[in-house]
Amino acid sequence: MNLDNARQAFIEEVAELLQSMEDALLALEDNLQDAESLNEVFRAMHTIKGTAGVFGYNAVVEFTHTVETLMDQVRSGQRPLTNPLIATLVECRDHTERLVEFFSEASLEGDAAGGGALDEGLREAGDALLRRLGQPIAPTESVESRSTDRASGKFLPVSSDTWMITLEFGSDAFRNGMDPLSFLRYLGSLGDLVHVSTLLRMDPERPEAFDPESCYLCFGIAFRSDTDKATIAGVFEFAEQDCEIRILEPESEQAKYLDLLGAVHEDQVGTIGELLVHVGALTRRELERALMTQEAEAGLQSPGSEIRRRLGEILVAQGSIKPSVVEQAAKTQEAVRVRRQEESHFIRVDARRLGHLIDLVGELVTSSAAIRVIVNRAGIDDASEVVDGVDYLVSEIRDNALQLRMVPIEDCLSRFRRVVRDACQELGKQIDLVITGGETELDKTVIERMIDPLTHLIRNAIDHGIETPDVRQAAGKSPGGTLNINAFHDSGHIVIEIADDGAGLDSARIRAKAEARGLVKPEDSLSEEEVLRLIFAPGLSTKEQATNLSGRGVGMDVVRRNIEELRGSVELESELGVGTKITIILPLTLAIIEGFLVASGEDKFIIPLSQVVECVEMNIESTPGRHGNGQHYINLRGEVLPFIRLTELFESRENRSIEQRESLVVVRFGRHRMGLVVDGLLGELQTVIKPLGKLFERLHGVAGATILGTGEIALILDVTELAAVDQVGHPSTNAMLTTH
Amino acid sequence: MAKTILMVDDSASLRSVVAIALRGAGYDVIEASDGRDALAKLAGQKVHLVISDVNMPNMDGITLVQELKKQPSYRFTPIMMLTTETQPEKKEAARAAGAKAWLVKPFQPPMLLEAVSKLVLP
Amino acid sequence: MNPPQEPLEDAPGFVFKGELTIYTAAESYARLQDFMVAHHRCALDLSAVSEIDCAGLQCLLRSVQLAEREGKRLMLAARSQVVDEAIALLHLGSAFGIDASHSEQDAS
């Protein structure tokens, strides 16, 4: 993985974390006591902060740090969680997204450092947010400030004198992985090791006492460097537990410190200790040790100075607070850990790899069909059995491979909570979003391509469908509207319903508008449903003025086209004043389907098996009728069924003999049924969908093509489109093949 | 002979940035996504330093430290934990398990390299 | 202060190879001690030592310390570059009877 890939991975990680943060925030809006969600928000900020650091995205680190700190206060009960605070946190989430976007774009443009100047507007926006959170804007301990402290040299200048350092390593140092050699080597990189005396604290007279794994070494080092005390102490920071470290300043300096300390009043010693730490004379650790000693002394000579006792009390108090803090933190960490473990049942796989696997499985399906054909032709019974076994395995592999790409639709639908929430605020509406069937699984590639159309439909429902509270109340409805999204499986398809209890569609207005646009003629007789479907026609928008939300230049025709590109269909029900329901029916996957192979004239066609209801022999006596506009009808057990003769549709054969036996395949799409008249039924077939080339992409009624085991090509029929072509248009094949 | 560092973190992006920095400084790096992955990838090969995150799926950093301390090949190997200032109790647990070095997230690669150099030079 | 140099070829050789670290310290030390029990002099060959740490150095220091107490001689006759670097860093040349200025040549 190179740095660019790492950045890309970071952006993806951030996107996921922000999504879960958003989900958690929305959950908190419903239930302010939801501790799990609270942790989730904290965790998202916390993790982003941690990773942004390595990329040097300091602004991200600072911002997320502040939010994280606030979340920590909320978690520990120091700050109450309120709805306005959640609203601000949602904006913080968005701001984080923008920051990460900013830096990822900056790094694309070659600003590899990434830590470059933050856009002024972004910074101000961030500061404003933090002010609203009531957090100090100054970054507490940013990466930047930490790393520059040392270099800036704002502390007492240290002359190039010799420091004296003594190191007494504890016996466990080696066992703890501490190698004094490493520390000295590193120290050597900061200055000059003028002299090192290495001593073995062992009694030569007692050879048996030596344990080679214990450390008996101590060092005295004369060190010459321009660096400050904190840096020198920092060299040994990891050895602190295993080493007694004493660092003596170059003499010229020490005198200064002594003077300083001598001049202070006793009361100020604690403060002065802090000061010395700041000035670079004492390390924090030394001060702590000094305070600890003070406490110990106070214990011995009890009536001693009051300050000492106070220091001691503070330390004790700190010690007594700790257990409960630890306990609380351990609990929350445990919750995070459990969650993590749940997540760990998953493996991340590059989507392209899966795509490749599915392509290969597709080839395998085709090859296996080819073997089947050859074996049948050769008439080898033994081989036939083996082929049956292979077929079974191939279909299992296919199903499993496709299953890999299945993800719960919830992942896609949950984002709409946010869409709805924001829209409500903007439009002053009250809308309750109810999602059911979120666990329904669907091919990830289908889901991704459904996001835009779904967003549009949902925005439409919010914007045009559900009325404002006063309008609703005037109409005798509850002030709050409901938007239902329901997903479920239905015979090899997934159905997504978007239903609102809003104003519904006014079919009269749609009709009027369609006539005005010349989409229908005034004399055309259209059913209520056909009129409603007109909103899917290009260039028809129901609202005079497109709003900020739905009016993004994307019409319902684009929604329909997006869905149809996925071999799906969309239906519409609406009742004026009661509501609108849009039903989207999608295939589960884009790659492979169970098909039903039929012959028509010279050609072979595949009908998606999931849409086949039944096959009946075409009975000449049932005398198919013909409607005025050229549509065929047949009486099937008393039901009038429109049908299409494929040979006519595709002009696949002119000289048809009357005696030719025909079959009727009854198919369904949505709530409709129709018949397809074919010459022969060739059976079920696993069908790998090959997209048609550019030349044929406008070919209506055909979803794709597949290669049969014999090497022949069969077209895959799109039943819904066929019906539309036959109804709305005219059964002329020429019309179907026009390339716009 | 280049020194080998085992880098364990469940964030692929963080891990790879760290690995890039370490390799740039002349170390060999073995990357692992969690404790279990780390133990599998080590499989007895020599490492001079282990850098590990604390909170990870499958096996967290503290358990990893405990496991490493049990294995003859790794019981003396220095371990640096990537901790955060918000979880002092984790630091204590890691210390008890045998990790002796810490780096606080967030950090930038130069800080990491500096900390690593104190324990192992390339 | 340094003991008089004696010809190396007279001293029985003892070889450390590969790692001379905390991981091998206990075993290395025990082997060297066993060897020293049977010999009065030893020319230690560290030219094949690929890695050394303070635990390794400490074993050598202790062995030299014990040898001196018993009036024996333990010489670091040949040393790899890593060994020389470590000795130079800790200024241990004199403790091991090595003239620092010659260590580079010995190392090869």
Side-chain angles (χ1 to χ4, degrees), chain A residues 570-632:
Chain A
V570 54
E571 287 174 23
L572 188 69
E573 292 166 65
S574 184
E575 194 176 329
L576 194 59
V578 177
T580 305
K581 181 162 108 180
I582 292 166
T583 308
I584 299 166
I585 301 162
L586 292 167
L588 280 179
T589 177
L590 296 176
I592 304 173
I593 57 166
E594 287 285 354
F596 187 69
L597 186 64
V598 297
S600 169
E602 314 282 302
D603 299 326
K604 289 185 174 131
F605 297 94
I606 303 270
I607 304 166
L609 189 64
S610 56
Q611 289 183 296
V612 174
V613 181
E614 63 175 327
C615 300
V616 291
E617 195 151 324
M618 191 73 173
N619 196 345
I620 307 295
E621 278 79 63
S622 61
T623 20
R626 192 175 267 256
H627 201 265
N629 62 6
Q631 274 180 303
H632 296 292

Side-chain angles (χ1 to χ4, degrees), chain A residues 49-360:
Chain A
K49 181 184 80 170
T51 310
V54 301
F55 290 95
Y57 299 161
N58 292 337
V60 180
V61 172
E62 286 165 18
F63 186 78
T64 49
H65 173 80
T66 314
V67 181
E68 181 199 346
T69 309
L70 173 95
M71 288 315 296
D72 203 33
Q73 290 167 356
V74 171
R75 224 162 49 161
S76 62
Q78 293 168 45
R79 277 275 302 247
L81 187 65
T82 59
N83 276 314
L85 183 58
I86 293 175
T88 312
L89 284 168
V90 169
E91 288 180 53
C92 289
R93 174 227 169 269
D94 293 352
H95 186 70
T96 310
E97 190 169 39
R98 282 194 293 274
L99 284 175
V100 172
E101 267 168 25
F102 173 82
F103 284 114
S104 63
E105 277 164 24
S107 46
L108 274 183
E109 286 158 19
D111 179 9
L118 185 61
D119 180 65
E120 202 46 45
L122 263 183
R123 177 170 295 283
E124 273 169 23
D127 289 351
L129 272 175
L130 296 185
R131 270 193 294 273
R132 277 166 56 194
L133 286 178
Q135 293 295 317
I137 287 159
T140 44
E141 196 188 0
S142 78
V143 173
E144 203 168 20
S145 63
R146 243 188 291 172
S147 53
T148 49
D149 270 1
R150 191 166 296 158
S152 63
K154 58 187 169 187
F155 301 136
L156 284 184
V158 178
S159 58
S160 328
D161 253 314
T162 308
W163 298 74
M164 284 302 302
I165 304 166
T166 62
L167 306 169
E168 286 174 57
F169 281 90
S171 63
D172 280 336
F174 295 159
R175 280 186 275 263
N176 286 332
M178 299 296 130
D179 183 7
L181 201 57
S182 298
F183 296 117
L184 265 74
R185 211 178 267 159
Y186 185 72
L187 184 67
S189 72
L190 299 175
D192 192 9
L193 297 171
V194 183
H195 184 77
V196 180
S197 55
T198 305
L199 287 174
L200 188 64
R201 286 170 302 156
M202 275 303 293
D203 184 355
E205 304 306 317
R206 297 182 57 225
E208 69 289 348
F210 180 75
D211 172 2
E213 289 175 3
S214 291
C215 181
Y216 303 96
L217 295 174
C218 58
F219 301 89
I221 303 159
F223 181 60
R224 191 178 292 144
S225 171
D226 288 338
T227 190
D228 59 48
K229 189 168 180 179
T231 308
I232 297 173
V235 172
F236 305 101
E237 64 172 317
F238 299 138
E240 276 169 1
Q241 294 282 312
D242 294 301
C243 185
E244 195 69 37
I245 307 156
R246 283 184 210 89
I247 304 170
L248 296 175
E249 296 78 7
E251 259 166 297
S252 56
E253 294 256 315
Q254 205 162 27
K256 275 188 214 161
Y257 300 145
L258 290 175
D259 287 350
L260 187 61
L261 273 176
V264 252
H265 193 265
E266 201 187 358
D267 290 9
Q268 291 176 287
V269 170
T271 332
I272 295 302
E274 282 293 325
L275 196 70
L276 284 178
V277 169
H278 282 289
V279 108
L282 277 181
T283 65
R284 167 80 46 194
R285 210 181 135 67
E286 280 174 330
L287 176 67
E288 276 165 10
R289 211 187 301 161
L291 291 175
M292 298 282 262
T293 318
Q294 246 182 358
E295 184 204 354
E297 281 169 1
L300 290 175
Q301 22 164 298
S302 42
S305 96
E306 285 201 349
I307 332 142
R308 286 184 182 169
R309 212 166 50 215
R310 213 175 300 144
L311 279 167
E313 278 166 8
I314 291 165
L315 285 168
V316 169
Q318 278 175 345
S320 68
I321 287 165
K322 219 174 178 185
S324 67
V325 173
V326 170
E327 214 170 278
Q328 177 60 31
K331 254 188 230 162
T332 57
Q333 288 297 336
E334 176 66 15
V336 171
R337 197 181 60 80
V338 168
R339 197 188 154 85
R340 280 290 187 97
Q341 276 178 347
E342 278 170 13
E343 286 168 3
S344 70
H345 294 305
F346 300 100
I347 305 176
R348 277 169 174 281
V349 181
D350 187 337
R352 279 173 303 184
R353 283 199 205 172
L354 270 189
H356 186 56
L357 173 70
I358 285 162
D359 286 349
L360 288 177

Side-chain angles (χ1 to χ4, degrees), chain A residues 412 415-416 419 423 449-465 483 485 498 500 535-537 540-543 546-563 570 582 584:
Chain A
C412 152
R415 76 180 60 214
F416 295 121
V419 173
R449 289 167 63 181
M450 276 309 293
I451 290 173
D452 282 351
L454 281 175
T455 309
H456 188 80
L457 290 174
I458 287 164
R459 282 181 165 157
N460 255 340
I462 301 165
D463 203 22
H464 307 311
L483 183 59
I485 305 180
I498 301 160
D500 66 64
I535 68 162
F536 290 118
L540 197 106
S541 166
T542 48
K543 195 101 176 172
T547 68
N548 178 24
L549 282 176
S550 51
R552 296 207 172 185
V554 191
M556 290 292 272
D557 59 317
V558 177
V559 170
R560 191 201 58 185
R561 207 161 61 228
N562 284 341
I563 293 169
V570 54
I582 292 166
I584 299 166

